[in-house]
Amino acid sequence: MMNEIIVPSSPCPVIIGAGPAGINAAITLAEQGIESIIVDENPAPGGAIFRQPTKKISLGFSPVIDNKSRQRATRLLENLERYKDKITVYNRAQVLGGLSEGDSIIVLHNNRVTELHYSALFICTGCYERSHPFPGWTLPGVMGVGGMQLQVKSNLVRPGHRVVITGTGPLLLLAAKQFHDAGMEVVGVYEAGQKMDLYREIPALLADIPLLFDGIKYLSYLKKQGIPVHYGWGIVGVRGVSEVSEITVAPYDKDWQPLLNKQEVINADSLAVNYGFTSRTQLTQQLGCAHSYYHDRGGFKPDVDKWHRTSCEKIYAAGDVAGIYGSYVAEVEGKISAYGHLVDLGQINDKEANLLCASLRNNLKRLIKFQHGFSKLSSPKEGLLSLPDKNTVICRCENVTLDKIDNAIATGIGDVTKLKMATRAGMGDCQGKSCGDFCRNYLAKQTQRSQQQIGKLNARFPLAPVTFAAFAAGEK
Amino acid sequence: MEKNNSDIIIAGGGVIGMAIAYYLSKESDRSITVIDQKKPGNASWASAGGLWPIGESVGLGCGVIFFKTLSKQRRENPNEIIETARPHQLPDCFLNYSLISNAMFPSLWDELKEHSGIDFKFEKTGLKFLMYDDDDVAYAKQIQDGIPHLKDQLLWQDQQQLHEDEPYVSRDAIGSLSFKPDHQVNPYLLVQALRDGAQRNGVKMVENAEIIDITMQKNRVTGVKTKQQKYNCSLLINAAGAWAAQLADMIGIDLPVAPIKGQVIVSERLPPIMKSCISTSDCYIAQKDNGEVLIGSTTEIKGFDTNGTYPELRSLVSGAIKALPMLGSVGIKRTWVGLRPGSPDELPIFGEVAGVEGYMNACGHFRTGIVSSPITGRIVTDLVMGKQPPIDITPFLYERFLDPSFKASFSLETEVA
């Protein structure tokens, strides 16, 4: 690992994010002889999907990354290793954002700030779990499904003994298997979507038989282990003194409004919850790329053309940041964006690029069709917005409760930036990563306005915390 | 297009527009509509919230930082003529105007707390100018000598007194000059409280609506058009901040208001580390009610550009560490850019414009929109009601720019590197 960022004598392509999209972009460039730099905030490359254990201690259970994922990870990282003379990876390096008029980003690495100029910028920052507030959601023991997976597979920590899984999408099934493998008791999986919605999409799911087969495999595994999967059920709230002790679930109607007269209370010490993901667009926003809103695919995402060029010159976006379709799609998009850059450099022409990408694009079509199979099942519905009560904390950073947001809306506030100014929701360190989606959707619902009218919270420099001293130390 | 009639339309829902709406709606029964469009760089949302009537009048705050930039430029380019070579002390009419406005805050604070329940966090802090060397001492003496009539409002402190007052201030500071009446507020809450008060008085808010045209009958303004609707009125008040010139241009008025870029940094929340606001020749520093420490600000002429820049932010950060070394280990939480509505003599522009009926200016507030919002509300209310404003507004009329002897202290055209 490099201790200090070495600024190349002339700018090269810089790739933000060492997940499937970023690594594939770098490898595709390297295959054409182009050197690049990858900047990633994690201790090792692979992204959230291929996160490896960060410590070598045994807790009596094996890391639960499945065989197929392990093979994919190994292949990806071996490929990266093969091109190590062309690809420089900086781990534990955070992008603070873009400043100045020039084509550069500011990177924090080993408590030093470096301005890194780029010839092209590939933003492959992926996505994060969307928070949906409900009573008790800030209690210790409540985690995102993905967050709990990372605890298990990366930190080798078992976050609880009795876990309830609520949310939507195929991730819940995989997580149930992983948690069970790690020795946790999985009380049940509560999928918000209706089973019928899944059945209706079987034609779409047939687009990728191996992936469909994976799903069936997880389902039959859970059945064999006696872990029930309840369709059309979801979270109502959580109670506990200093940590989770009671989890209330209920059947959801078609708008995901819980039917409280049928609610059930489960005794458990942990809750994994995931009602979808949000594209990690702070950097594309901060750099001024144009964005549009997609309800089913992670909210606002940067507009990209078929070569994954954003509206900003020299800036590409690939993978979940440009629409959430998962790691298989991210791999392909990473490659396509690199070919797009080769076209822009004039190294290949459009025709050659189309030929090189023909099979990639076919693959992409199939994968996206498969992902759309879950659209009806998993598209977040308005009922979730009714879960928090007036005392539920919505913005954790600034401790803003729902009644403060309601009061502000009552004064006629109609966009999310003014809501932030009035309540401080979204003004904290996380810049609204946690509460921004809820605030936007809630404001849209209460004021009957469109997402474009509500707007989004502007991401500001720095996108990650940096001390005054580290920032000033970059002084020349 | 749907028709909307009101007597008065205020263009701009920042602190100036909302102060006018609040004061006017308290005294007048005419119908008032405020039309606002959120834009990147809206100054009221970017402001530090300093109420520094003396400090700003004598060229502290952003003034001294700008002065230093110009001095440096002068040193580096000795052949270039840069007119503003000394800190420009603003005329007495401005000092008087901002002191009267500043004195309105305690009662406005009580009034709005009661009226709307919103506390805009008026804090009596004072403002300290820190001195590191003999140049700074000479600069402070010059300030002191310039305002002999306010001598009892100033406090000169030596190093020991300063450190008893402000233990976190660097030992490199050899003393300070304090301005007792210079305080601070939370600017967002001030706008919100004024807005809430105005709405309770019946003012109608139209948000996310950009005025794209002004309708006229002969030389009389009859209303405005937004992309969505048409609004009729008999009086249009231009409180459009940095965008005031664009609005005036729709009816052929050449208003010399231009955006003046200022970059700002805010820290993570801290326990109280300073009692007063601080101004040095590098930056100003204010700890806000929620514990965040706010550092400003550059003065740049870059059009409507709201991008942060590395060298400028770094220089503010270094200046802040120089004044308060403990900030070194503190996290920078956010940076942003505001666009001040600058005028060539740094004075606001009030009142009607000869030859145009049904139009009134309330713009060009430059660095001091927050502190001068109450008096602006008062002045405009009096003008609309046909009463005598509390101060003589002759120096603030648009007509001054038409006078051949008008002298700008600040060129809106020059690019400041």
Coordinates of all heavy atoms in Angstrom, one line a residue, chain B residues 122-181:
Chain B
F122 N -30.4 35.6 18.5 CA -29.6 36.8 18.7 C -28.7 36.7 19.9 O -29.1 36.3 21.0 CB -30.6 38.0 18.9 CG -29.9 39.3 19.3 CD1 -29.2 40.0 18.3 CD2 -30.1 39.9 20.5 CE1 -28.6 41.2 18.6 CE2 -29.5 41.1 20.8 CZ -28.7 41.7 19.8
E123 N -27.4 36.9 19.6 CA -26.4 36.7 20.6 C -25.5 37.9 20.7 O -25.0 38.4 19.7 CB -25.4 35.5 20.3 CG -26.0 34.1 20.5 CD -25.0 33.1 20.1 OE1 -24.2 32.7 20.9 OE2 -25.1 32.6 18.9
K124 N -25.3 38.4 22.0 CA -24.4 39.6 22.2 C -23.0 39.1 22.3 O -22.6 38.6 23.4 CB -24.9 40.4 23.4 CG -26.3 41.0 23.2 CD -26.5 42.1 24.2 CE -27.7 42.9 23.8 NZ -28.0 44.0 24.7
T125 N -22.2 39.2 21.3 CA -20.9 38.7 21.3 C -19.8 39.7 21.3 O -18.8 39.6 21.9 CB -20.7 37.8 20.0 OG1 -21.0 38.6 18.9 CG2 -21.6 36.6 20.0
G126 N -20.1 40.8 20.6 CA -19.0 41.8 20.3 C -18.1 41.2 19.1 O -18.2 40.0 18.8
L127 N -17.4 42.1 18.5 CA -16.4 41.7 17.4 C -15.0 42.1 17.8 O -14.8 43.3 18.2 CB -16.9 42.3 16.1 CG -15.9 42.1 14.9 CD1 -15.9 40.6 14.4 CD2 -16.4 43.0 13.7
K128 N -14.1 41.2 17.7 CA -12.7 41.6 18.1 C -11.8 41.6 16.8 O -11.8 40.6 16.1 CB -12.1 40.5 19.0 CG -12.4 40.8 20.5 CD -11.7 39.7 21.3 CE -11.7 40.1 22.8 NZ -13.0 40.2 23.4
F129 N -11.1 42.6 16.6 CA -10.0 42.6 15.6 C -8.7 42.2 16.2 O -8.2 42.8 17.1 CB -9.9 44.0 14.9 CG -8.8 44.0 13.9 CD1 -8.8 43.2 12.8 CD2 -7.7 44.8 14.1 CE1 -7.8 43.3 11.8 CE2 -6.6 44.9 13.2 CZ -6.7 44.1 12.1
L130 N -8.2 41.0 15.8 CA -6.9 40.5 16.4 C -5.7 41.2 15.7 O -5.7 41.3 14.5 CB -6.8 39.0 16.2 CG -7.7 38.1 16.9 CD1 -7.2 36.6 16.8 CD2 -7.9 38.5 18.3
M131 N -4.7 41.5 16.5 CA -3.5 42.1 16.0 C -2.3 41.2 16.2 O -2.1 40.7 17.3 CB -3.2 43.5 16.7 CG -4.3 44.5 16.4 SD -4.2 46.0 17.4 CE -5.1 45.6 18.8
Y132 N -1.6 40.9 15.1 CA -0.4 40.0 15.2 C 0.9 40.8 15.2 O 1.9 40.4 15.7 CB -0.4 39.0 14.1 CG -1.5 38.1 14.1 CD1 -2.5 38.1 13.0 CD2 -1.7 37.1 15.0 CE1 -3.5 37.2 13.0 CE2 -2.7 36.2 15.0 CZ -3.6 36.2 14.0 OH -4.7 35.3 13.9
D133 N 0.9 42.0 14.6 CA 2.1 42.7 14.4 C 1.9 44.3 14.3 O 0.7 44.7 14.5 CB 2.8 42.3 13.1 CG 1.9 42.4 11.9 OD1 1.0 43.2 11.9 OD2 2.1 41.6 10.9
D134 N 2.9 45.0 14.1 CA 2.8 46.5 14.1 C 1.9 47.0 13.0 O 1.2 48.0 13.2 CB 4.2 47.1 14.0 CG 5.0 46.8 15.3 OD1 4.4 46.4 16.3 OD2 6.3 47.1 15.2
D135 N 1.9 46.3 11.9 CA 1.0 46.7 10.8 C -0.4 46.7 11.2 O -1.2 47.6 11.0 CB 1.2 45.8 9.6 CG 2.5 46.1 8.8 OD1 3.1 47.2 9.2 OD2 2.8 45.3 7.9
D136 N -0.8 45.6 11.9 CA -2.1 45.4 12.4 C -2.5 46.5 13.5 O -3.6 47.0 13.5 CB -2.3 44.0 13.0 CG -2.3 42.9 12.0 OD1 -2.6 43.2 10.8 OD2 -2.1 41.7 12.4
V137 N -1.5 46.8 14.3 CA -1.7 47.8 15.3 C -2.0 49.2 14.6 O -2.9 49.9 15.0 CB -0.5 47.9 16.3 CG1 -0.7 49.1 17.2 CG2 -0.3 46.6 17.1
A138 N -1.2 49.5 13.6 CA -1.4 50.7 12.9 C -2.7 50.8 12.2 O -3.4 51.8 12.2 CB -0.3 50.9 11.9
Y139 N -3.1 49.6 11.7 CA -4.4 49.5 11.0 C -5.5 49.8 12.1 O -6.5 50.5 11.8 CB -4.5 48.1 10.4 CG -5.8 47.9 9.6 CD1 -5.8 48.1 8.2 CD2 -6.9 47.3 10.2 CE1 -6.9 47.9 7.5 CE2 -8.0 47.1 9.4 CZ -8.0 47.4 8.1 OH -9.1 47.1 7.3
A140 N -5.4 49.2 13.2 CA -6.4 49.3 14.3 C -6.5 50.7 14.8 O -7.6 51.3 15.0 CB -6.2 48.3 15.4
K141 N -5.3 51.4 14.9 CA -5.3 52.8 15.4 C -6.0 53.7 14.4 O -6.7 54.6 14.7 CB -3.8 53.2 15.5 CG -3.2 52.6 16.8 CD -2.3 53.6 17.5 CE -1.9 53.2 18.9 NZ -0.5 52.6 18.9
Q142 N -5.8 53.4 13.1 CA -6.4 54.1 12.0 C -7.9 54.0 12.1 O -8.7 55.0 11.9 CB -5.9 53.6 10.7 CG -6.2 54.4 9.5 CD -5.9 53.7 8.2 OE1 -5.0 52.8 8.2 NE2 -6.6 54.0 7.1
I143 N -8.4 52.8 12.4 CA -9.8 52.6 12.6 C -10.4 53.4 13.7 O -11.4 54.2 13.6 CB -10.2 51.1 12.8 CG1 -9.9 50.2 11.6 CG2 -11.6 50.9 13.3 CD1 -10.0 48.7 11.8
Q144 N -9.7 53.3 14.9 CA -10.1 54.0 16.1 C -10.2 55.5 15.8 O -11.1 56.2 16.2 CB -9.1 53.7 17.2 CG -9.6 53.9 18.5 CD -8.6 53.6 19.6 OE1 -7.4 53.6 19.3 NE2 -9.0 53.2 20.8
D145 N -9.1 56.1 15.2 CA -9.1 57.5 14.9 C -10.2 57.9 14.0 O -10.6 59.1 14.0 CB -7.7 57.9 14.3 CG -6.6 57.7 15.3 OD1 -7.0 57.5 16.5 OD2 -5.4 57.6 14.9
G146 N -10.7 57.0 13.1 CA -11.7 57.4 12.1 C -13.1 57.5 12.7 O -13.9 58.1 12.1
I147 N -13.3 57.0 13.9 CA -14.6 57.1 14.5 C -14.6 57.6 15.9 O -15.0 56.9 16.9 CB -15.4 55.7 14.4 CG1 -14.4 54.5 14.8 CG2 -16.0 55.4 13.1 CD1 -15.1 53.2 14.9
P148 N -14.1 58.8 16.1 CA -13.9 59.3 17.5 C -15.2 59.4 18.2 O -15.2 59.2 19.5 CB -13.3 60.8 17.2 CG -13.6 61.1 15.8 CD -13.7 59.8 15.1
H149 N -16.3 59.6 17.5 CA -17.6 59.7 18.2 C -18.1 58.4 18.8 O -19.1 58.3 19.5 CB -18.7 60.3 17.2 CG -18.9 59.5 16.0 ND1 -17.9 59.3 15.1 CD2 -19.9 58.9 15.5 CE1 -18.3 58.6 14.0 NE2 -19.5 58.3 14.3
L150 N -17.5 57.3 18.4 CA -17.9 56.0 18.9 C -16.9 55.4 19.9 O -16.9 54.2 20.1 CB -18.1 55.0 17.7 CG -19.3 55.3 16.8 CD1 -19.3 54.4 15.6 CD2 -20.6 55.2 17.6
K151 N -16.1 56.3 20.4 CA -14.9 55.8 21.3 C -15.4 54.9 22.4 O -14.8 53.9 22.7 CB -14.2 57.0 21.9 CG -12.8 56.7 22.2 CD -11.9 57.9 22.3 CE -10.5 57.5 22.5 NZ -9.9 57.6 23.7
D152 N -16.5 55.2 23.0 CA -17.0 54.4 24.2 C -17.5 53.1 23.7 O -17.8 52.2 24.6 CB -18.1 55.2 24.9 CG -19.3 55.5 24.1 OD1 -19.1 55.7 22.9 OD2 -20.4 55.7 24.7
Q153 N -17.7 52.9 22.4 CA -18.1 51.6 21.9 C -17.0 50.6 21.6 O -17.2 49.5 21.2 CB -19.0 51.7 20.7 CG -20.2 52.6 20.8 CD -21.2 52.0 21.8 OE1 -21.3 50.8 21.9 NE2 -22.0 52.9 22.5
L154 N -15.7 51.2 21.7 CA -14.6 50.4 21.4 C -13.8 50.0 22.7 O -13.9 50.6 23.7 CB -13.6 51.2 20.5 CG -14.2 51.8 19.2 CD1 -13.1 52.5 18.4 CD2 -14.9 50.8 18.4
L155 N -13.1 48.9 22.6 CA -12.3 48.4 23.7 C -11.0 47.9 23.2 O -10.9 47.0 22.4 CB -13.0 47.3 24.5 CG -12.3 46.7 25.6 CD1 -12.2 47.7 26.8 CD2 -13.0 45.4 26.1
W156 N -9.9 48.6 23.7 CA -8.5 48.1 23.3 C -8.0 47.2 24.3 O -8.0 47.5 25.5 CB -7.7 49.4 23.1 CG -6.4 49.1 22.4 CD1 -5.3 48.4 22.9 CD2 -6.0 49.4 21.1 NE1 -4.3 48.3 22.0 CE2 -4.7 48.9 20.8 CE3 -6.7 50.1 20.0 CZ2 -4.1 49.1 19.6 CZ3 -6.1 50.2 18.8 CH2 -4.8 49.7 18.6
Q157 N -7.6 46.0 23.9 CA -7.1 45.0 24.9 C -5.7 44.6 24.6 O -5.3 44.4 23.4 CB -8.0 43.7 24.9 CG -9.3 44.0 25.5 CD -10.1 42.7 25.6 OE1 -10.3 42.0 24.6 NE2 -10.6 42.3 26.8
D158 N -4.8 44.5 25.6 CA -3.5 44.0 25.4 C -3.5 42.5 25.4 O -4.5 41.9 25.6 CB -2.5 44.6 26.4 CG -2.8 44.1 27.8 OD1 -3.5 43.1 28.0 OD2 -2.3 44.8 28.8
Q159 N -2.3 41.9 25.2 CA -2.2 40.5 25.0 C -2.8 39.7 26.2 O -3.6 38.8 26.0 CB -0.8 40.1 24.8 CG -0.7 38.6 24.4 CD 0.8 38.2 24.1 OE1 1.7 38.6 24.8 NE2 0.9 37.4 23.1
Q160 N -2.5 40.2 27.4 CA -3.0 39.5 28.6 C -4.5 39.6 28.7 O -5.2 38.6 29.0 CB -2.3 40.1 29.8 CG -2.4 39.1 31.0 CD -1.9 39.8 32.3 OE1 -1.1 40.7 32.3 NE2 -2.4 39.3 33.4
Q161 N -5.0 40.8 28.6 CA -6.5 41.0 28.6 C -7.2 40.1 27.6 O -8.2 39.5 27.9 CB -6.8 42.4 28.5 CG -6.4 43.3 29.6 CD -6.4 44.8 29.2 OE1 -6.2 45.1 28.1 NE2 -6.7 45.6 30.2
L162 N -6.6 40.1 26.4 CA -7.2 39.3 25.3 C -7.3 37.9 25.7 O -8.3 37.2 25.5 CB -6.4 39.5 24.0 CG -6.7 38.6 22.9 CD1 -8.1 38.7 22.4 CD2 -5.7 38.8 21.7
H163 N -6.2 37.3 26.3 CA -6.1 35.9 26.6 C -7.0 35.5 27.8 O -7.4 34.4 27.9 CB -4.7 35.4 26.7 CG -4.0 35.4 25.4 ND1 -2.8 36.0 25.1 CD2 -4.4 34.9 24.2 CE1 -2.5 35.9 23.8 NE2 -3.5 35.2 23.3
E164 N -7.2 36.5 28.7 CA -8.1 36.2 29.7 C -9.5 36.1 29.2 O -10.3 35.2 29.6 CB -8.1 37.3 30.8 CG -7.0 37.1 31.8 CD -6.6 38.4 32.6 OE1 -7.5 39.3 32.7 OE2 -5.5 38.5 33.1
D165 N -9.8 36.9 28.2 CA -11.1 36.9 27.5 C -11.3 35.7 26.6 O -12.4 35.1 26.6 CB -11.3 38.2 26.7 CG -12.4 39.1 27.2 OD1 -12.7 39.0 28.4 OD2 -12.9 39.9 26.4
E166 N -10.3 35.4 25.8 CA -10.4 34.4 24.8 C -9.2 33.5 24.9 O -8.2 33.6 24.2 CB -10.4 35.0 23.4 CG -11.6 36.0 23.1 CD -12.9 35.3 22.9 OE1 -12.9 34.0 22.9 OE2 -13.9 35.9 22.7
P167 N -9.3 32.5 25.8 CA -8.1 31.6 26.1 C -7.6 30.8 24.9 O -6.5 30.4 24.8 CB -8.5 30.7 27.2 CG -10.0 30.9 27.3 CD -10.4 32.2 26.7
Y168 N -8.5 30.6 23.9 CA -8.1 29.7 22.8 C -7.4 30.5 21.6 O -6.9 30.0 20.7 CB -9.3 29.0 22.2 CG -9.8 27.9 23.1 CD1 -11.0 28.0 23.9 CD2 -9.1 26.7 23.2 CE1 -11.4 27.0 24.7 CE2 -9.5 25.7 24.0 CZ -10.7 25.8 24.8 OH -11.1 24.8 25.6
V169 N -7.4 31.9 21.8 CA -6.8 32.7 20.8 C -5.3 32.5 20.8 O -4.7 32.4 21.9 CB -7.2 34.2 20.9 CG1 -6.2 35.1 20.1 CG2 -8.6 34.4 20.4
S170 N -4.6 32.4 19.7 CA -3.2 32.2 19.6 C -2.4 33.2 20.4 O -2.7 34.4 20.5 CB -2.8 32.3 18.2 OG -1.4 32.4 18.1
R171 N -1.3 32.7 21.0 CA -0.4 33.6 21.8 C 0.4 34.5 20.8 O 1.1 35.4 21.3 CB 0.7 32.7 22.6 CG 0.0 31.9 23.6 CD -0.3 32.7 24.9 NE -1.4 32.1 25.6 CZ -1.9 32.5 26.7 NH1 -1.4 33.5 27.3 NH2 -3.0 31.9 27.2
D172 N 0.3 34.3 19.5 CA 0.9 35.2 18.6 C 0.1 36.5 18.4 O 0.6 37.5 17.9 CB 0.9 34.5 17.2 CG 1.9 33.4 17.1 OD1 2.8 33.3 18.0 OD2 1.8 32.5 16.2
A173 N -1.1 36.5 18.9 CA -1.9 37.7 18.9 C -1.4 38.6 20.0 O -1.4 38.2 21.2 CB -3.4 37.4 19.0
I174 N -1.1 39.9 19.7 CA -0.5 40.7 20.7 C -1.5 41.7 21.3 O -1.2 42.4 22.3 CB 0.7 41.6 20.1 CG1 0.2 42.3 18.9 CG2 1.9 40.7 19.8 CD1 1.3 43.3 18.3
G175 N -2.7 41.6 20.8 CA -3.8 42.5 21.4 C -5.0 42.4 20.5 O -5.0 41.7 19.4
S176 N -6.0 43.2 20.9 CA -7.2 43.2 20.0 C -8.0 44.6 20.2 O -7.8 45.2 21.2 CB -8.1 42.1 20.4 OG -8.7 42.2 21.7
L177 N -8.7 44.9 19.2 CA -9.6 46.0 19.3 C -11.0 45.5 19.2 O -11.4 44.8 18.2 CB -9.3 47.0 18.2 CG -10.2 48.3 18.1 CD1 -10.2 49.1 19.4 CD2 -9.9 49.1 16.9
S178 N -11.9 45.7 20.2 CA -13.2 45.2 20.2 C -14.2 46.2 19.9 O -14.1 47.4 20.2 CB -13.6 44.6 21.6 OG -12.8 43.5 21.9
F179 N -15.3 45.7 19.2 CA -16.4 46.6 18.8 C -17.6 46.1 19.6 O -18.1 45.0 19.3 CB -16.7 46.5 17.3 CG -15.5 46.9 16.5 CD1 -14.5 46.0 16.2 CD2 -15.3 48.3 16.2 CE1 -13.3 46.4 15.5 CE2 -14.1 48.6 15.5 CZ -13.2 47.7 15.2
K180 N -18.0 46.8 20.7 CA -19.0 46.3 21.6 C -20.4 46.0 21.0 O -21.0 45.1 21.4 CB -19.1 47.2 22.8 CG -17.8 47.2 23.7 CD -18.1 48.0 24.9 CE -16.9 48.8 25.4 NZ -17.2 49.8 26.4
P181 N -20.9 46.9 20.1 CA -22.3 46.6 19.6 C -22.4 45.6 18.5 O -23.5 45.4 18.0 CB -22.7 48.0 19.1 CG -21.6 48.9 19.1 CD -20.3 48.1 19.5

